[in-house]
Amino acid sequence: MKTAKWLESITPSPTLAVNQKVIELKAQGKKIISLVVGEPDFETPQPIKDAVSEALKKNLTRYSETEGVKAFREAICMKLKRDNGVTYDPSQIIVTCGAKQAISTSLDVMLDGGDEVLVPAPYWVSYPDMVKLARGVPVFIPTSSESRYKISTKDLEKYTTSKTRALILNNPSNPTGVLYTGEELLEISKWCLNKGVIVIADEVYERIVFSGRKFVSVASLSKDIFENTVTINGLSKSHCMTGWRMGYAAGPEKIIKAMKKCQSHLLSHIPTFLQHAGVVALNEDSYIAPMVKAYEERVNTSVELIKQYMPLSTCVVPDGAFYLFPTIDKYFGKSYNGKTMKDSIDIATFILEDANVAVVPGAAFGMDGNIRLSVATSLDQIKEGIKKIGETLGKLK
Ligand SMILES: Cc1ncc(COP(=O)(O)O)c(C=O)c1O
C-alpha cells in the first residue's frame, strides 16, 4: 500500500534505533547497561495513583471538556502562579496527550506551509519532525560548548527571515541540561517580541534544577512577552508520570482556542479520571525535591567520572534535567580492529558492541560531536557504564 509522498521527509525517532539494537543484544543473552532512557527511574507517587482509584470509584469516566477538566486546568493555573509567577486564566490552558502533543498542536495552529521555525541545536529529537508535520521548515541554530550550547540574539538575527514564525526554546535543555538565566531569556524573548516571532517555551524539565540555580519561566518576564509566549509543560518528568501522557499548553486565548478546535477532531481529550488525579499531583509535590537531589548527585558523579575515564571528552556541567552531553569528536578518525570512527553513530555503536553500554549518538540531537548519557538509572549502573565507555574509547588508536 502506498503512503503519502510528503511523509518521506519525516524520520522515525532515532532513539528507537538504539533501543532496537539493545533489545537484539539482550535477546542474545548480553548484559547491557542502558544510559539511554528519557524518563525518570522513580515510580509515580502513591497519592497520585490512589487518586485514580478514587476518580474511578466516583465514576468520573465520561467525556470531559476538549480542553480538559476545569478542576485540572484550575490546578495548572495554580501551579503556574505558585511555581512560575505567571497568571493564566483556565481559558488559556489546554490539556494534551503529553507535552509532545502540546508542542505539535501549537505548531499545527501557528504555521502555514513553508513558515519557518527556529530550532537551536542540539535539540530534543522530535522538534524538527514536528515542525515538518505541521508543514513548516525547521531552521537550525548551531551552538557550541563555548556558549554552553545557548543561543544569543546575534544568532537569532542571523537565522531569522521574513518567514520565521516561532522559536522553540527548551529550558532546561534535553540533551545538555543547560539552563538560561533570567537576563538571557529576557534578551531573547524581547528580541522575538520585536520581530513578531512567537516563543514556544518547552519547560518540561523546569522542576529538575540543581542547587544554586534558578529557573525562570519565559512568560513571567513581562506582560508583552507573556502575550507572545506559548508555555509547554507536563507531568511526565516532574511527577514520574511518563506513561500517563499528561501535558498542557498555556498561552494567548487565540492560540489555545485554535488548538482546541484541532484537538476536538483528533483526540477529544485525555482520560477524564487521569485528569482528576492530575489535580492531586499538582497540589502535593513534596516528593520532587528528593528526586532532584538524587539526579544532582548522579550528574556530579558522572561529570567527575567522564573527566577520569574519557580524557579526550569535555562535558558542560548540567544545571538540571537528567542528561549529560559529553563531546566525543576527538575520537573521530581513530580506529580499532580495522574500523575507523567517523561520526557519533559509529562511536555509539562501538560503545554498545564493545562495552555493552547503550548511549544515544549526538547526531540524533543535531550535534554529531557528542553523545548523550541519561542518569535516570542507578548510581552503580552509571559508575560501571562510564568506566566501561572509557575503557572502550581507550582502545581507539
Ligand atoms: C524536551 C522535551 N520536551 C517534551 C518532551 C515530551 O514529554 P511528554 O512525555 O510530556 O510528552 C520530552 C520527552 O522526552 C522532552 O525531553
Side-chain angles (χ1 to χ4, degrees), residues 38 97-101 103 124 127 170 172-174 202 204-205 232-237 241-242 245-247 323 372:
C97 183
K100 191 176 239 180
Q101 189 227 323
I103 303 163
W124 178 47
Y127 295 148
N170 178 210
S173 150
N174 172 9
D202 180 350
V204 295
Y205 293 99
I232 306 290
N233 212 329
L235 304 185
S236 286
K237 317 289 178 177
M241 293 171 72
T242 44
R245 312 306 304 126
M246 296 176 87
Y323 309 104
R372 191 193 74 175

Side-chain angles (χ1 to χ4, degrees), residues 172-189:
S173 150
N174 172 9
T176 65
V178 159
L179 185 72
Y180 283 86
T181 64
E183 291 75 35
E184 289 164 341
L185 288 177
L186 186 61
E187 247 188 65
I188 290 169
S189 38

Side-chain angles (χ1 to χ4, degrees), residues 200-234:
I200 301 176
D202 180 350
E203 302 184 345
V204 295
Y205 293 99
E206 152 240 3
R207 297 300 302 269
I208 308 173
V209 166
F210 306 144
S211 42
R213 280 81 156 188
K214 188 173 168 348
F215 171 81
V216 176
S217 204
V218 174
S220 72
L221 291 168
S222 79
K223 192 170 174 305
D224 290 344
I225 291 170
F226 173 87
E227 295 291 337
N228 191 50
T229 305
V230 177
T231 303
I232 306 290
N233 212 329

Side-chain angles (χ1 to χ4, degrees), residues 153-374:
T153 51
K154 258 200 201 134
D155 299 316
L156 290 169
E157 194 79 59
K158 188 164 165 197
Y159 290 92
T160 298
T161 72
S162 58
K163 289 186 173 169
T164 308
R165 282 285 289 146
L167 160 74
I168 306 183
L169 198 63
N170 178 210
N171 185 42
S173 150
N174 172 9
T176 65
V178 159
L179 185 72
Y180 283 86
T181 64
E183 291 75 35
E184 289 164 341
L185 288 177
L186 186 61
E187 247 188 65
I188 290 169
S189 38
K190 258 193 193 163
W191 191 92
C192 287
L193 180 68
N194 289 335
K195 300 285 173 176
V197 174
I198 302 169
V199 178
I200 301 176
D202 180 350
E203 302 184 345
V204 295
Y205 293 99
E206 152 240 3
R207 297 300 302 269
I208 308 173
V209 166
F210 306 144
S211 42
R213 280 81 156 188
K214 188 173 168 348
F215 171 81
V216 176
S217 204
V218 174
S220 72
L221 291 168
S222 79
K223 192 170 174 305
D224 290 344
I225 291 170
F226 173 87
E227 295 291 337
N228 191 50
T229 305
V230 177
T231 303
I232 306 290
N233 212 329
L235 304 185
S236 286
K237 317 289 178 177
S238 53
H239 293 72
C240 313
M241 293 171 72
T242 44
W244 295 55
R245 312 306 304 126
M246 296 176 87
Y248 54 89
E253 227 171 306
K254 195 166 171 197
I255 298 267
I256 300 299
K257 261 196 183 150
M259 290 176 72
K260 181 179 160 188
K261 191 162 69 174
C262 288
Q263 182 152 298
S264 71
H265 294 296
L266 293 174
L267 175 81
S268 293
H269 55 80
I270 64 163
T272 306
F273 47 92
L274 296 188
Q275 298 188 57
H276 285 280
V279 176
V280 173
L282 291 176
N283 278 323
E284 163 52 53
D285 59 6
S286 54
Y287 32 76
I288 296 178
M291 191 174 75
V292 175
K293 206 158 178 277
Y295 290 138
E296 183 168 3
E297 189 193 347
R298 295 173 192 177
V299 160
N300 289 341
T301 305
S302 303
V303 169
E304 291 310 313
L305 291 171
I306 288 169
K307 273 189 207 149
Q308 186 181 342
Y309 292 112
M310 298 164 63
L312 298 188
S313 295
T314 54
C315 185
V316 163
V317 180
D319 302 304
F322 40 70
Y323 309 104
L324 295 119
F325 200 55
T327 60
I328 40 82
D329 55 331
K330 295 241 169 79
Y331 294 96
F332 293 173
K334 294 184 182 287
S335 311
Y336 179 68
N337 268 355
K339 168 92 182 132
T340 304
M341 302 293 123
K342 61 179 187 320
D343 55 27
S344 63
I345 298 175
D346 281 350
I347 294 274
T349 308
F350 179 49
I351 290 171
L352 181 57
E353 289 171 351
D354 188 83
N356 290 333
V357 181
V359 301
V360 187
F365 308 94
M367 190 155 276
D368 198 34
N370 300 56
I371 51 172
R372 191 193 74 175
L373 315 179
S374 161

